[in-house]
Amino acid sequence: MANSDTLTLPLDMIDVPKNRARGFDAAAAEALAAIIAEQGLMHPIRVRPNGERFMLIAGLHRLEAHRINGAETIAATLSEASNDDEARLEEVMENLGRGELIALDRCQHLYELKVVYERMHPEAKHGGDRSKSQSLALGSERPEIFGFAKATAAKIGLSQSAIKAAVKIWTDLTPASRLRLIGTNLARKQTELKALSEQKPAMQAKILELIESEEHPAVQNVAQAIAHLEGTLPVTAVERMVRTIRTGLKELPDASFDLLVAENEERILASLKRTGRI
């Protein structure tokens, strides 16, 4: 026991639910492990009692970072959630409150918050009396959540209009687009996500395929992809050069290719590091 509110729990007694609001990023866990090894754990994870074991609510990357570091225990606080909806609400609110989410994750979390809120307060979803029961049990604070309530907007530092805009983006993106966006630069930019979400499903697929393609290096964002598909994006000098080099490399004998790599080794290694391939 670190104090009256924090427990020290064995890692092997903590289970991770399959249906979590936030995905797992192995690279992020590795980076966090190094930070925790140097500075210690600044924020305990959040768990919910589950029989003789505990179910994780928030802190998967912190939990996995401890495993990476070879730790056997971790500091944790206990949730007061009495059901799955309240547990999901705690997970979403903690992640939003920590301000570490990229744009795509933030849109998903705000959508999750809306779904949980409407499930717990059907009168708000169906136009009932919204003045009734606008709070949920979230520890001792019992903060009011959106409705989309002002208290929550202030708590997470977003206006109600920003919250609604993020929810609409997530709703309008197709499930396939959401999956393809994970790990991309577009996922970090809400303006790009909004532009993509405004397109029809078939167009979303074409745009993402075009941006991912190595055949069109000049196409880096949604606007450029749309322009290319509509035939209004001119081929740049750089794109012409890349096409010429790509064709030449394919025809280059192995011995000549090895010599080229050796002469440009430092630049090639720097590129591989920038793109996260090594």
PDB file of all heavy atoms in Angstrom, residues 244-254 256-257:
ATOM      1  N   THR A 244      11.238   7.996 -62.455  1.00  0.00           N
ATOM      2  CA  THR A 244      12.405   7.628 -63.260  1.00  0.00           C
ATOM      3  C   THR A 244      13.392   6.804 -62.439  1.00  0.00           C
ATOM      4  O   THR A 244      13.903   5.776 -62.890  1.00  0.00           O
ATOM      5  CB  THR A 244      13.104   8.896 -63.792  1.00  0.00           C
ATOM      6  OG1 THR A 244      12.190   9.638 -64.594  1.00  0.00           O
ATOM      7  CG2 THR A 244      14.311   8.529 -64.628  1.00  0.00           C
ATOM      8  N   ILE A 245      13.651   7.258 -61.200  1.00  0.00           N
ATOM      9  CA  ILE A 245      14.582   6.539 -60.327  1.00  0.00           C
ATOM     10  C   ILE A 245      14.052   5.156 -59.993  1.00  0.00           C
ATOM     11  O   ILE A 245      14.797   4.163 -60.001  1.00  0.00           O
ATOM     12  CB  ILE A 245      14.842   7.349 -59.041  1.00  0.00           C
ATOM     13  CG1 ILE A 245      15.586   8.641 -59.371  1.00  0.00           C
ATOM     14  CG2 ILE A 245      15.626   6.513 -58.028  1.00  0.00           C
ATOM     15  CD1 ILE A 245      15.731   9.577 -58.195  1.00  0.00           C
ATOM     16  N   ARG A 246      12.751   5.062 -59.690  1.00  0.00           N
ATOM     17  CA  ARG A 246      12.163   3.769 -59.339  1.00  0.00           C
ATOM     18  C   ARG A 246      12.319   2.779 -60.492  1.00  0.00           C
ATOM     19  O   ARG A 246      12.668   1.612 -60.293  1.00  0.00           O
ATOM     20  CB  ARG A 246      10.685   3.945 -58.986  1.00  0.00           C
ATOM     21  CG  ARG A 246      10.015   2.650 -58.540  1.00  0.00           C
ATOM     22  CD  ARG A 246       8.550   2.827 -58.243  1.00  0.00           C
ATOM     23  NE  ARG A 246       8.347   3.663 -57.074  1.00  0.00           N
ATOM     24  CZ  ARG A 246       7.766   4.864 -57.109  1.00  0.00           C
ATOM     25  NH1 ARG A 246       7.361   5.362 -58.266  1.00  0.00           N
ATOM     26  NH2 ARG A 246       7.606   5.555 -56.014  1.00  0.00           N
ATOM     27  N   THR A 247      12.048   3.242 -61.696  1.00  0.00           N
ATOM     28  CA  THR A 247      12.189   2.370 -62.866  1.00  0.00           C
ATOM     29  C   THR A 247      13.639   1.937 -63.051  1.00  0.00           C
ATOM     30  O   THR A 247      13.932   0.771 -63.317  1.00  0.00           O
ATOM     31  CB  THR A 247      11.693   3.093 -64.131  1.00  0.00           C
ATOM     32  OG1 THR A 247      10.323   3.457 -63.959  1.00  0.00           O
ATOM     33  CG2 THR A 247      11.823   2.198 -65.350  1.00  0.00           C
ATOM     34  N   GLY A 248      14.573   2.899 -62.865  1.00  0.00           N
ATOM     35  CA  GLY A 248      15.993   2.580 -63.018  1.00  0.00           C
ATOM     36  C   GLY A 248      16.481   1.586 -61.989  1.00  0.00           C
ATOM     37  O   GLY A 248      17.272   0.674 -62.305  1.00  0.00           O
ATOM     38  N   LEU A 249      16.020   1.719 -60.752  1.00  0.00           N
ATOM     39  CA  LEU A 249      16.454   0.807 -59.693  1.00  0.00           C
ATOM     40  C   LEU A 249      15.994  -0.620 -59.963  1.00  0.00           C
ATOM     41  O   LEU A 249      16.702  -1.587 -59.656  1.00  0.00           O
ATOM     42  CB  LEU A 249      15.925   1.282 -58.340  1.00  0.00           C
ATOM     43  CG  LEU A 249      16.605   2.520 -57.741  1.00  0.00           C
ATOM     44  CD1 LEU A 249      15.905   2.933 -56.464  1.00  0.00           C
ATOM     45  CD2 LEU A 249      18.075   2.246 -57.477  1.00  0.00           C
ATOM     46  N   LYS A 250      14.790  -0.765 -60.503  1.00  0.00           N
ATOM     47  CA  LYS A 250      14.272  -2.105 -60.793  1.00  0.00           C
ATOM     48  C   LYS A 250      15.132  -2.812 -61.841  1.00  0.00           C
ATOM     49  O   LYS A 250      15.228  -4.046 -61.837  1.00  0.00           O
ATOM     50  CB  LYS A 250      12.826  -2.011 -61.273  1.00  0.00           C
ATOM     51  CG  LYS A 250      11.834  -1.629 -60.177  1.00  0.00           C
ATOM     52  CD  LYS A 250      10.428  -1.533 -60.730  1.00  0.00           C
ATOM     53  CE  LYS A 250       9.434  -1.161 -59.627  1.00  0.00           C
ATOM     54  NZ  LYS A 250       8.047  -1.020 -60.147  1.00  0.00           N
ATOM     55  N   GLU A 251      15.734  -2.042 -62.727  1.00  0.00           N
ATOM     56  CA  GLU A 251      16.526  -2.631 -63.812  1.00  0.00           C
ATOM     57  C   GLU A 251      18.014  -2.738 -63.465  1.00  0.00           C
ATOM     58  O   GLU A 251      18.790  -3.309 -64.222  1.00  0.00           O
ATOM     59  CB  GLU A 251      16.353  -1.792 -65.083  1.00  0.00           C
ATOM     60  CG  GLU A 251      14.907  -1.736 -65.575  1.00  0.00           C
ATOM     61  CD  GLU A 251      14.732  -0.790 -66.739  1.00  0.00           C
ATOM     62  OE1 GLU A 251      15.725  -0.096 -67.089  1.00  0.00           O
ATOM     63  OE2 GLU A 251      13.610  -0.730 -67.299  1.00  0.00           O
ATOM     64  N   LEU A 252      18.408  -2.196 -62.305  1.00  0.00           N
ATOM     65  CA  LEU A 252      19.816  -2.155 -61.933  1.00  0.00           C
ATOM     66  C   LEU A 252      20.299  -3.537 -61.477  1.00  0.00           C
ATOM     67  O   LEU A 252      19.646  -4.178 -60.645  1.00  0.00           O
ATOM     68  CB  LEU A 252      20.005  -1.152 -60.791  1.00  0.00           C
ATOM     69  CG  LEU A 252      21.404  -0.567 -60.567  1.00  0.00           C
ATOM     70  CD1 LEU A 252      21.860   0.228 -61.787  1.00  0.00           C
ATOM     71  CD2 LEU A 252      21.379   0.335 -59.335  1.00  0.00           C
ATOM     72  N   PRO A 253      21.451  -4.024 -61.977  1.00  0.00           N
ATOM     73  CA  PRO A 253      21.997  -5.312 -61.512  1.00  0.00           C
ATOM     74  C   PRO A 253      22.310  -5.248 -60.014  1.00  0.00           C
ATOM     75  O   PRO A 253      22.589  -4.178 -59.465  1.00  0.00           O
ATOM     76  CB  PRO A 253      23.280  -5.466 -62.335  1.00  0.00           C
ATOM     77  CG  PRO A 253      23.066  -4.596 -63.537  1.00  0.00           C
ATOM     78  CD  PRO A 253      22.259  -3.431 -63.054  1.00  0.00           C
ATOM     79  N   ASP A 254      22.303  -6.396 -59.366  1.00  0.00           N
ATOM     80  CA  ASP A 254      22.512  -6.443 -57.917  1.00  0.00           C
ATOM     81  C   ASP A 254      23.840  -5.820 -57.501  1.00  0.00           C
ATOM     82  O   ASP A 254      23.915  -5.083 -56.508  1.00  0.00           O
ATOM     83  CB  ASP A 254      22.456  -7.892 -57.423  1.00  0.00           C
ATOM     84  CG  ASP A 254      21.042  -8.436 -57.423  1.00  0.00           C
ATOM     85  OD1 ASP A 254      20.097  -7.625 -57.553  1.00  0.00           O
ATOM     86  OD2 ASP A 254      20.865  -9.666 -57.301  1.00  0.00           O
ATOM     87  N   SER A 256      25.588  -3.499 -58.923  1.00  0.00           N
ATOM     88  CA  SER A 256      25.518  -2.045 -59.056  1.00  0.00           C
ATOM     89  C   SER A 256      24.619  -1.448 -57.966  1.00  0.00           C
ATOM     90  O   SER A 256      24.914  -0.377 -57.419  1.00  0.00           O
ATOM     91  CB  SER A 256      24.976  -1.670 -60.437  1.00  0.00           C
ATOM     92  OG  SER A 256      25.827  -2.145 -61.464  1.00  0.00           O
ATOM     93  N   PHE A 257      23.549  -2.165 -57.638  1.00  0.00           N
ATOM     94  CA  PHE A 257      22.647  -1.697 -56.583  1.00  0.00           C
ATOM     95  C   PHE A 257      23.375  -1.681 -55.235  1.00  0.00           C
ATOM     96  O   PHE A 257      23.244  -0.729 -54.454  1.00  0.00           O
ATOM     97  CB  PHE A 257      21.410  -2.597 -56.503  1.00  0.00           C
ATOM     98  CG  PHE A 257      20.413  -2.160 -55.474  1.00  0.00           C
ATOM     99  CD1 PHE A 257      19.532  -1.126 -55.719  1.00  0.00           C
ATOM    100  CD2 PHE A 257      20.362  -2.783 -54.224  1.00  0.00           C
ATOM    101  CE1 PHE A 257      18.623  -0.723 -54.757  1.00  0.00           C
ATOM    102  CE2 PHE A 257      19.463  -2.380 -53.264  1.00  0.00           C
ATOM    103  CZ  PHE A 257      18.585  -1.344 -53.541  1.00  0.00           C
TER     104      PHE A 257
END
